[in-house]
Amino acid sequence: MRDWGLGIGNWGLGIGNWELGIGNWELGIGNWELGIGNWELNKGQNMNNFLKFLISIIIPLVIGGISGGFTVSAINGWYATINKPWFNPPNWIFGPVWTLLYFMMGIALYLIWKSDAVMELKRKAITLFFIQLAANFLWSIIFFYFQQPGWAFLDIVIMWVMILLTIFSFGKISAAASWLMVPYICWVSFASVLNFAIWKLN
């Protein structure tokens, strides 16, 4: 594991002893490692639930924070100039809503990670979770940075499907984790309609 690394595919950013990759999906903190490649859920057998909780919360919040960086500059620029439907919400609502949703996603991930479910079920559930999270990350880049509502709509449809599959997969392990993802898919459903409307209006 690299020291001080945050990697997204071929992208790299160093953050302390933390390492997060969206390729083989590897998150590292010091000697601790959560991977979705060889599925090494923890490197060291004494990881306590509190540390698992912190890692689970940090993952979606970091991803959301990075993708949000692509959004901020466009909100008052390109996005302010395009045609939008009547039901477009005020810009200020997006930040708080997404922060809350990322936090709930993190709790859901924690419940799955700490569960005593069969490893194969956990492996599938966490894989689906990270696939939808990757689609989530890409949406902001496609929509706001590249200013491509059409391609962004395709991405958000894929994201919606993967969220639904994640909910079903989580439900086999933890009902609470599954329900924690429901507000997320509801918001993404609304965002999908909004994305489609903006695409058609522009």
Side-chain angles (χ1 to χ4, degrees):
M1 179 179 290
R2 301 185 302 275
D3 291 332
W4 297 78
L6 170 61
I8 301 179
N10 293 324
W11 301 45
L13 174 65
I15 303 179
N17 287 322
W18 301 72
E19 178 179 326
L20 171 64
I22 305 180
N24 291 324
W25 284 97
E26 178 178 297
L27 173 72
I29 304 176
N31 290 323
W32 303 93
E33 181 175 325
L34 168 64
I36 303 181
N38 295 324
W39 282 96
E40 186 173 320
L41 291 180
N42 58 290
K43 188 174 184 177
Q45 299 302 315
N46 297 318
M47 177 178 286
N48 58 44
N49 285 337
F50 180 69
L51 185 54
K52 289 182 180 180
F53 176 78
L54 287 180
I55 295 172
S56 299
I57 295 297
I58 288 169
I59 291 173
L61 287 178
V62 168
I63 296 299
I66 296 172
S67 63
F70 293 96
T71 304
V72 173
S73 60
I75 285 291
N76 295 319
W78 167 77
Y79 188 71
T81 66
I82 62 175
N83 297 318
K84 292 180 281 292
W86 61 269
F87 55 86
N88 184 71
N91 293 339
W92 63 264
I93 202 171
F94 291 104
V97 168
W98 275 115
T99 300
L100 177 61
L101 292 175
Y102 284 130
F103 186 77
M104 295 173 69
M105 289 163 58
I107 297 175
L109 176 61
Y110 164 71
L111 293 175
I112 299 303
W113 187 8
K114 80 176 187 69
S115 74
D116 295 324
V118 176
M119 181 57 69
E120 187 62 31
L121 285 177
K122 293 173 67 172
R123 183 175 302 165
K124 178 180 178 181
I126 297 176
T127 298
L128 290 170
F129 177 89
F130 279 110
I131 292 174
Q132 66 80 23
L133 190 60
N136 181 307
F137 174 79
L138 290 174
W139 183 86
S140 294
I141 298 176
I142 297 170
F143 187 92
F144 288 106
Y145 184 76
F146 290 110
Q147 302 173 6
Q148 294 291 329
W151 288 109
F153 179 69
L154 175 61
D155 178 83
I156 205 170
V157 169
I158 295 172
M159 186 201 313
W160 190 94
V161 172
M162 298 313 300
I163 295 170
L164 184 63
L165 293 176
T166 301
I167 290 173
F168 288 150
S169 188
F170 276 18
K172 297 176 181 178
I173 301 171
S174 167
S178 181
W179 280 107
L180 281 166
M181 299 289 287
V182 171
Y184 175 38
I185 198 172
C186 290
W187 178 256
V188 171
S189 297
F190 169 74
S192 299
V193 174
L194 180 61
N195 187 157
F196 180 79
I198 290 174
W199 176 34
K200 288 303 181 182
L201 289 172
N202 295 275

PDB file of all heavy atoms in Angstrom, residues 101 103-109 111 167 170 174-185:
ATOM      1  N   LEU A 101     -27.214  12.480   2.511  1.00  0.00           N
ATOM      2  CA  LEU A 101     -27.322  11.204   1.812  1.00  0.00           C
ATOM      3  C   LEU A 101     -26.003  10.423   1.862  1.00  0.00           C
ATOM      4  O   LEU A 101     -25.997   9.204   2.052  1.00  0.00           O
ATOM      5  CB  LEU A 101     -27.749  11.429   0.361  1.00  0.00           C
ATOM      6  CG  LEU A 101     -29.177  11.940   0.160  1.00  0.00           C
ATOM      7  CD1 LEU A 101     -29.430  12.245  -1.304  1.00  0.00           C
ATOM      8  CD2 LEU A 101     -30.199  10.933   0.680  1.00  0.00           C
ATOM      9  N   PHE A 103     -23.795  10.646   4.184  1.00  0.00           N
ATOM     10  CA  PHE A 103     -23.653  10.173   5.560  1.00  0.00           C
ATOM     11  C   PHE A 103     -24.481   8.909   5.790  1.00  0.00           C
ATOM     12  O   PHE A 103     -24.003   7.940   6.397  1.00  0.00           O
ATOM     13  CB  PHE A 103     -24.086  11.273   6.533  1.00  0.00           C
ATOM     14  CG  PHE A 103     -23.838  10.938   7.973  1.00  0.00           C
ATOM     15  CD1 PHE A 103     -22.565  11.016   8.516  1.00  0.00           C
ATOM     16  CD2 PHE A 103     -24.882  10.534   8.796  1.00  0.00           C
ATOM     17  CE1 PHE A 103     -22.324  10.699   9.851  1.00  0.00           C
ATOM     18  CE2 PHE A 103     -24.654  10.213  10.133  1.00  0.00           C
ATOM     19  CZ  PHE A 103     -23.372  10.295  10.654  1.00  0.00           C
ATOM     20  N   MET A 104     -25.711   8.897   5.289  1.00  0.00           N
ATOM     21  CA  MET A 104     -26.570   7.717   5.424  1.00  0.00           C
ATOM     22  C   MET A 104     -26.005   6.526   4.658  1.00  0.00           C
ATOM     23  O   MET A 104     -26.075   5.384   5.113  1.00  0.00           O
ATOM     24  CB  MET A 104     -27.991   8.055   4.948  1.00  0.00           C
ATOM     25  CG  MET A 104     -28.689   9.098   5.800  1.00  0.00           C
ATOM     26  SD  MET A 104     -30.285   9.619   5.116  1.00  0.00           S
ATOM     27  CE  MET A 104     -31.253   8.117   5.348  1.00  0.00           C
ATOM     28  N   MET A 105     -25.431   6.793   3.497  1.00  0.00           N
ATOM     29  CA  MET A 105     -24.788   5.730   2.736  1.00  0.00           C
ATOM     30  C   MET A 105     -23.642   5.125   3.531  1.00  0.00           C
ATOM     31  O   MET A 105     -23.435   3.905   3.519  1.00  0.00           O
ATOM     32  CB  MET A 105     -24.259   6.286   1.405  1.00  0.00           C
ATOM     33  CG  MET A 105     -25.335   6.631   0.391  1.00  0.00           C
ATOM     34  SD  MET A 105     -24.717   7.706  -0.928  1.00  0.00           S
ATOM     35  CE  MET A 105     -23.392   6.717  -1.585  1.00  0.00           C
ATOM     36  N   GLY A 106     -22.895   5.988   4.204  1.00  0.00           N
ATOM     37  CA  GLY A 106     -21.779   5.510   5.009  1.00  0.00           C
ATOM     38  C   GLY A 106     -22.236   4.613   6.146  1.00  0.00           C
ATOM     39  O   GLY A 106     -21.609   3.590   6.432  1.00  0.00           O
ATOM     40  N   ILE A 107     -23.318   4.990   6.801  1.00  0.00           N
ATOM     41  CA  ILE A 107     -23.861   4.156   7.877  1.00  0.00           C
ATOM     42  C   ILE A 107     -24.299   2.804   7.325  1.00  0.00           C
ATOM     43  O   ILE A 107     -24.060   1.757   7.930  1.00  0.00           O
ATOM     44  CB  ILE A 107     -25.047   4.860   8.568  1.00  0.00           C
ATOM     45  CG1 ILE A 107     -24.577   6.157   9.240  1.00  0.00           C
ATOM     46  CG2 ILE A 107     -25.688   3.932   9.603  1.00  0.00           C
ATOM     47  CD1 ILE A 107     -25.707   6.975   9.831  1.00  0.00           C
ATOM     48  N   ALA A 108     -24.933   2.831   6.153  1.00  0.00           N
ATOM     49  CA  ALA A 108     -25.375   1.582   5.520  1.00  0.00           C
ATOM     50  C   ALA A 108     -24.184   0.684   5.218  1.00  0.00           C
ATOM     51  O   ALA A 108     -24.219  -0.534   5.467  1.00  0.00           O
ATOM     52  CB  ALA A 108     -26.159   1.889   4.240  1.00  0.00           C
ATOM     53  N   LEU A 109     -23.119   1.276   4.681  1.00  0.00           N
ATOM     54  CA  LEU A 109     -21.907   0.502   4.390  1.00  0.00           C
ATOM     55  C   LEU A 109     -21.336  -0.104   5.665  1.00  0.00           C
ATOM     56  O   LEU A 109     -20.915  -1.273   5.682  1.00  0.00           O
ATOM     57  CB  LEU A 109     -20.866   1.400   3.722  1.00  0.00           C
ATOM     58  CG  LEU A 109     -19.504   0.761   3.437  1.00  0.00           C
ATOM     59  CD1 LEU A 109     -19.638  -0.430   2.494  1.00  0.00           C
ATOM     60  CD2 LEU A 109     -18.546   1.808   2.868  1.00  0.00           C
ATOM     61  N   LEU A 111     -22.937  -0.951   8.413  1.00  0.00           N
ATOM     62  CA  LEU A 111     -23.776  -2.052   8.879  1.00  0.00           C
ATOM     63  C   LEU A 111     -23.494  -3.339   8.110  1.00  0.00           C
ATOM     64  O   LEU A 111     -23.530  -4.439   8.682  1.00  0.00           O
ATOM     65  CB  LEU A 111     -25.251  -1.671   8.753  1.00  0.00           C
ATOM     66  CG  LEU A 111     -25.740  -0.551   9.674  1.00  0.00           C
ATOM     67  CD1 LEU A 111     -27.192  -0.193   9.363  1.00  0.00           C
ATOM     68  CD2 LEU A 111     -25.595  -0.954  11.144  1.00  0.00           C
ATOM     69  N   ILE A 167     -29.572  -1.871  -2.859  1.00  0.00           N
ATOM     70  CA  ILE A 167     -30.630  -1.944  -1.840  1.00  0.00           C
ATOM     71  C   ILE A 167     -31.085  -3.388  -1.651  1.00  0.00           C
ATOM     72  O   ILE A 167     -31.204  -3.863  -0.519  1.00  0.00           O
ATOM     73  CB  ILE A 167     -31.822  -1.044  -2.232  1.00  0.00           C
ATOM     74  CG1 ILE A 167     -31.422   0.432  -2.110  1.00  0.00           C
ATOM     75  CG2 ILE A 167     -33.044  -1.342  -1.364  1.00  0.00           C
ATOM     76  CD1 ILE A 167     -32.472   1.394  -2.628  1.00  0.00           C
ATOM     77  N   PHE A 170     -28.195  -5.316  -0.003  1.00  0.00           N
ATOM     78  CA  PHE A 170     -28.078  -4.947   1.406  1.00  0.00           C
ATOM     79  C   PHE A 170     -29.196  -5.580   2.219  1.00  0.00           C
ATOM     80  O   PHE A 170     -28.996  -5.982   3.365  1.00  0.00           O
ATOM     81  CB  PHE A 170     -28.138  -3.426   1.556  1.00  0.00           C
ATOM     82  CG  PHE A 170     -26.805  -2.732   1.353  1.00  0.00           C
ATOM     83  CD1 PHE A 170     -25.755  -3.371   0.708  1.00  0.00           C
ATOM     84  CD2 PHE A 170     -26.612  -1.432   1.794  1.00  0.00           C
ATOM     85  CE1 PHE A 170     -24.537  -2.733   0.513  1.00  0.00           C
ATOM     86  CE2 PHE A 170     -25.394  -0.785   1.618  1.00  0.00           C
ATOM     87  CZ  PHE A 170     -24.359  -1.434   0.976  1.00  0.00           C
ATOM     88  N   SER A 174     -28.880  -6.762   5.989  1.00  0.00           N
ATOM     89  CA  SER A 174     -29.363  -5.844   7.027  1.00  0.00           C
ATOM     90  C   SER A 174     -30.512  -5.013   6.488  1.00  0.00           C
ATOM     91  O   SER A 174     -30.326  -4.246   5.533  1.00  0.00           O
ATOM     92  CB  SER A 174     -28.226  -4.929   7.500  1.00  0.00           C
ATOM     93  OG  SER A 174     -28.722  -3.856   8.276  1.00  0.00           O
ATOM     94  N   ALA A 175     -31.675  -5.157   7.093  1.00  0.00           N
ATOM     95  CA  ALA A 175     -32.837  -4.368   6.667  1.00  0.00           C
ATOM     96  C   ALA A 175     -32.582  -2.882   6.890  1.00  0.00           C
ATOM     97  O   ALA A 175     -32.970  -2.043   6.076  1.00  0.00           O
ATOM     98  CB  ALA A 175     -34.073  -4.814   7.433  1.00  0.00           C
ATOM     99  N   ALA A 176     -31.918  -2.555   7.993  1.00  0.00           N
ATOM    100  CA  ALA A 176     -31.634  -1.151   8.294  1.00  0.00           C
ATOM    101  C   ALA A 176     -30.738  -0.537   7.221  1.00  0.00           C
ATOM    102  O   ALA A 176     -30.971   0.595   6.771  1.00  0.00           O
ATOM    103  CB  ALA A 176     -30.966  -1.042   9.664  1.00  0.00           C
ATOM    104  N   ALA A 177     -29.712  -1.267   6.809  1.00  0.00           N
ATOM    105  CA  ALA A 177     -28.814  -0.769   5.764  1.00  0.00           C
ATOM    106  C   ALA A 177     -29.561  -0.547   4.467  1.00  0.00           C
ATOM    107  O   ALA A 177     -29.335   0.442   3.757  1.00  0.00           O
ATOM    108  CB  ALA A 177     -27.668  -1.750   5.556  1.00  0.00           C
ATOM    109  N   SER A 178     -30.460  -1.452   4.159  1.00  0.00           N
ATOM    110  CA  SER A 178     -31.252  -1.336   2.944  1.00  0.00           C
ATOM    111  C   SER A 178     -32.137  -0.090   2.974  1.00  0.00           C
ATOM    112  O   SER A 178     -32.170   0.693   2.019  1.00  0.00           O
ATOM    113  CB  SER A 178     -32.111  -2.594   2.764  1.00  0.00           C
ATOM    114  OG  SER A 178     -32.876  -2.510   1.580  1.00  0.00           O
ATOM    115  N   TRP A 179     -32.815   0.145   4.080  1.00  0.00           N
ATOM    116  CA  TRP A 179     -33.702   1.299   4.207  1.00  0.00           C
ATOM    117  C   TRP A 179     -32.934   2.611   4.221  1.00  0.00           C
ATOM    118  O   TRP A 179     -33.453   3.646   3.768  1.00  0.00           O
ATOM    119  CB  TRP A 179     -34.569   1.170   5.456  1.00  0.00           C
ATOM    120  CG  TRP A 179     -35.746   0.272   5.257  1.00  0.00           C
ATOM    121  CD1 TRP A 179     -35.907  -0.989   5.766  1.00  0.00           C
ATOM    122  CD2 TRP A 179     -36.916   0.537   4.487  1.00  0.00           C
ATOM    123  NE1 TRP A 179     -37.104  -1.525   5.359  1.00  0.00           N
ATOM    124  CE2 TRP A 179     -37.750  -0.602   4.576  1.00  0.00           C
ATOM    125  CE3 TRP A 179     -37.342   1.626   3.726  1.00  0.00           C
ATOM    126  CZ2 TRP A 179     -38.977  -0.672   3.914  1.00  0.00           C
ATOM    127  CZ3 TRP A 179     -38.567   1.560   3.068  1.00  0.00           C
ATOM    128  CH2 TRP A 179     -39.368   0.417   3.174  1.00  0.00           C
ATOM    129  N   LEU A 180     -31.714   2.586   4.725  1.00  0.00           N
ATOM    130  CA  LEU A 180     -30.904   3.804   4.723  1.00  0.00           C
ATOM    131  C   LEU A 180     -30.573   4.279   3.308  1.00  0.00           C
ATOM    132  O   LEU A 180     -30.242   5.454   3.102  1.00  0.00           O
ATOM    133  CB  LEU A 180     -29.604   3.568   5.502  1.00  0.00           C
ATOM    134  CG  LEU A 180     -29.715   3.632   7.029  1.00  0.00           C
ATOM    135  CD1 LEU A 180     -28.459   3.055   7.671  1.00  0.00           C
ATOM    136  CD2 LEU A 180     -29.945   5.070   7.481  1.00  0.00           C
ATOM    137  N   MET A 181     -30.659   3.378   2.348  1.00  0.00           N
ATOM    138  CA  MET A 181     -30.380   3.729   0.962  1.00  0.00           C
ATOM    139  C   MET A 181     -31.615   4.222   0.212  1.00  0.00           C
ATOM    140  O   MET A 181     -31.500   4.739  -0.902  1.00  0.00           O
ATOM    141  CB  MET A 181     -29.799   2.513   0.231  1.00  0.00           C
ATOM    142  CG  MET A 181     -28.490   1.991   0.782  1.00  0.00           C
ATOM    143  SD  MET A 181     -27.090   3.088   0.444  1.00  0.00           S
ATOM    144  CE  MET A 181     -26.878   2.804  -1.314  1.00  0.00           C
ATOM    145  N   VAL A 182     -32.791   4.070   0.807  1.00  0.00           N
ATOM    146  CA  VAL A 182     -34.038   4.441   0.134  1.00  0.00           C
ATOM    147  C   VAL A 182     -34.143   5.947  -0.135  1.00  0.00           C
ATOM    148  O   VAL A 182     -34.506   6.354  -1.251  1.00  0.00           O
ATOM    149  CB  VAL A 182     -35.261   3.930   0.913  1.00  0.00           C
ATOM    150  CG1 VAL A 182     -36.558   4.510   0.342  1.00  0.00           C
ATOM    151  CG2 VAL A 182     -35.299   2.401   0.871  1.00  0.00           C
ATOM    152  N   PRO A 183     -33.845   6.824   0.838  1.00  0.00           N
ATOM    153  CA  PRO A 183     -33.879   8.266   0.529  1.00  0.00           C
ATOM    154  C   PRO A 183     -32.934   8.635  -0.612  1.00  0.00           C
ATOM    155  O   PRO A 183     -33.224   9.526  -1.416  1.00  0.00           O
ATOM    156  CB  PRO A 183     -33.447   8.914   1.845  1.00  0.00           C
ATOM    157  CG  PRO A 183     -33.799   7.918   2.894  1.00  0.00           C
ATOM    158  CD  PRO A 183     -33.553   6.585   2.263  1.00  0.00           C
ATOM    159  N   TYR A 184     -31.829   7.935  -0.684  1.00  0.00           N
ATOM    160  CA  TYR A 184     -30.841   8.165  -1.739  1.00  0.00           C
ATOM    161  C   TYR A 184     -31.424   7.869  -3.118  1.00  0.00           C
ATOM    162  O   TYR A 184     -31.323   8.688  -4.044  1.00  0.00           O
ATOM    163  CB  TYR A 184     -29.620   7.299  -1.440  1.00  0.00           C
ATOM    164  CG  TYR A 184     -28.518   7.310  -2.474  1.00  0.00           C
ATOM    165  CD1 TYR A 184     -28.153   8.462  -3.154  1.00  0.00           C
ATOM    166  CD2 TYR A 184     -27.796   6.145  -2.723  1.00  0.00           C
ATOM    167  CE1 TYR A 184     -27.119   8.458  -4.076  1.00  0.00           C
ATOM    168  CE2 TYR A 184     -26.758   6.127  -3.634  1.00  0.00           C
ATOM    169  CZ  TYR A 184     -26.428   7.283  -4.316  1.00  0.00           C
ATOM    170  OH  TYR A 184     -25.402   7.273  -5.221  1.00  0.00           O
ATOM    171  N   ILE A 185     -32.065   6.722  -3.270  1.00  0.00           N
ATOM    172  CA  ILE A 185     -32.614   6.387  -4.584  1.00  0.00           C
ATOM    173  C   ILE A 185     -33.805   7.279  -4.926  1.00  0.00           C
ATOM    174  O   ILE A 185     -34.051   7.589  -6.095  1.00  0.00           O
ATOM    175  CB  ILE A 185     -32.997   4.889  -4.675  1.00  0.00           C
ATOM    176  CG1 ILE A 185     -33.133   4.471  -6.141  1.00  0.00           C
ATOM    177  CG2 ILE A 185     -34.289   4.589  -3.904  1.00  0.00           C
ATOM    178  CD1 ILE A 185     -33.307   2.979  -6.357  1.00  0.00           C
TER     179      ILE A 185
END
